[in-house]
Amino acid sequence: MTEATIIIAVYNHWNWLRVILDALGRQSVRDFEVVVADDGSKPEIGLNIEQLRPQLPFAIKHVWHEDRGWRKNIILNRAVEASCGKVIIFLDGDCVPHHRFVEDHLAAHRSCRAFSGRRAEIPAVVSAMAEAGEISTLPQLKRAFWSHFLATCRTHRPFRYVRLPLVGGKLLAKRRRHAILGCNFSIDRPLLLELNGFDERYLAPGWGEDSDVDLRLENMGVDVLVAGHNALVYHRCHKHFDLNYPENIALLGENRKCRVTRTPHGIIKEQR
């Protein structure tokens, strides 16, 4: 069993996944595997993973199901089933990890069972370059960022891009509820299996996608450790969508009212 499994949720966007895989190949620790949780992408993703596989310094699996609309929670559960890491780290397919991303997640798990890192938005001009395939590696992304740094400072808080895990020898972290960032969080494998993974009734993004896991951790009495400037990812710049789907809100309300911890609609389907 490896120390960690990194599960990357993807739907098309190969140019971003290529940068992410390059960044994972440059991590400061190497005892991890990668599972690509593919929510129905076109064949390009699978073909490109196979071509790149011999060059990658880590084991990689590609878990896919057909495109029948947004079914991210379902494919995440299938990816969990295919994984073998002691700690499972979730990463979205448009978030490029810092080169000490895995190190930070594993370090946090010495004192917690669930951890959420932070994200910083990639400037629009740099994001467009990556989208167009002009950037394919983490060093190229960094160079593009610094070349547009002054313009970035006008619209972004540059301090968010800085990794500062320790101040005075202490982690910049705190425990709090409702803190999971779905594109960047980790959980001990036994704890995730105790929750029975993700609730597969959520068939739209937004409320419930990851906040349902956070709610069930709260119902279980488990706090999430949250660290600023730690386990950083750099997030693709894109417009924000309306994520307040009534169906999701109703399901989340139901799980809150019933104080659900282990969903019967998860990895293992159960009778209630």
Side-chain angles (χ1 to χ4, degrees), residues 51-260:
Q51 289 181 359
L52 198 59
R53 185 187 300 275
Q55 305 169 39
L56 298 174
F58 47 78
I60 186 169
K61 303 170 186 173
H62 180 217
V63 179
W64 177 90
H65 61 193
E66 64 178 321
D67 187 356
R68 285 166 39 197
W70 192 95
R71 296 190 295 155
K72 179 181 177 183
N73 281 13
I74 296 173
I75 199 64
L76 286 177
N77 279 344
R78 302 294 80 76
V80 171
E81 289 179 304
S83 70
C84 61
K86 298 176 186 175
V87 173
I88 301 180
I89 305 171
F90 292 94
L91 182 65
D92 273 359
D94 59 359
C95 292
V96 181
H98 186 279
H99 72 278
R100 298 180 75 171
F101 171 79
V102 178
E103 175 188 341
D104 287 343
H105 272 279
L106 292 179
H109 277 264
R110 296 178 193 138
S111 60
C112 74
R113 301 179 70 195
F115 172 72
S116 186
R118 296 293 88 184
R119 75 181 183 188
E121 189 171 276
I122 297 172
V125 61
V126 178
S127 190
M129 291 169 65
E131 199 83 37
E134 298 172 21
I135 293 171
S136 60
T137 69
L138 181 60
Q140 289 174 352
L141 181 69
K142 289 180 177 179
R143 284 196 295 271
F145 169 76
W146 286 113
S147 67
H148 295 87
F149 180 72
L150 292 179
T152 300
C153 290
R154 299 191 190 104
T155 55
H156 296 70
R157 290 178 289 172
F159 192 55
R160 290 180 67 91
Y161 299 89
V162 179
R163 178 183 178 272
L164 286 174
L166 298 177
V167 173
K170 295 183 179 180
L171 184 71
L172 287 175
K174 56 185 175 181
R175 296 178 188 274
R176 70 183 188 198
R177 304 223 180 255
H178 300 291
I180 281 178
L181 191 62
C183 66
N184 180 6
F185 82 96
S186 56
I187 185 168
D188 288 348
R189 182 184 192 84
L191 178 57
L192 182 60
L193 296 181
E194 191 175 349
L195 293 170
N196 201 18
F198 295 85
D199 189 326
E200 296 184 4
R201 295 177 298 168
Y202 291 94
L203 297 175
W207 287 103
E209 170 190 344
D210 43 45
S211 49
D212 179 80
V213 172
D214 199 56
L215 171 67
R216 288 186 283 125
L217 286 172
E218 178 183 352
N219 291 343
M220 191 181 287
V222 176
D223 286 341
V224 177
L225 184 68
V226 182
H229 306 282
N230 190 258
L232 289 173
V233 299
Y234 305 105
H235 179 240
R236 175 172 69 104
C237 178
H238 60 77
K239 67 177 182 180
H240 296 282
F241 305 99
D242 180 11
L243 302 178
N244 294 318
Y245 291 93
E247 296 86 352
N248 285 19
I249 295 171
L251 286 173
L252 192 64
E254 174 188 330
N255 283 349
R256 179 178 288 109
K257 179 180 178 181
C258 298
R259 297 197 59 80
V260 173

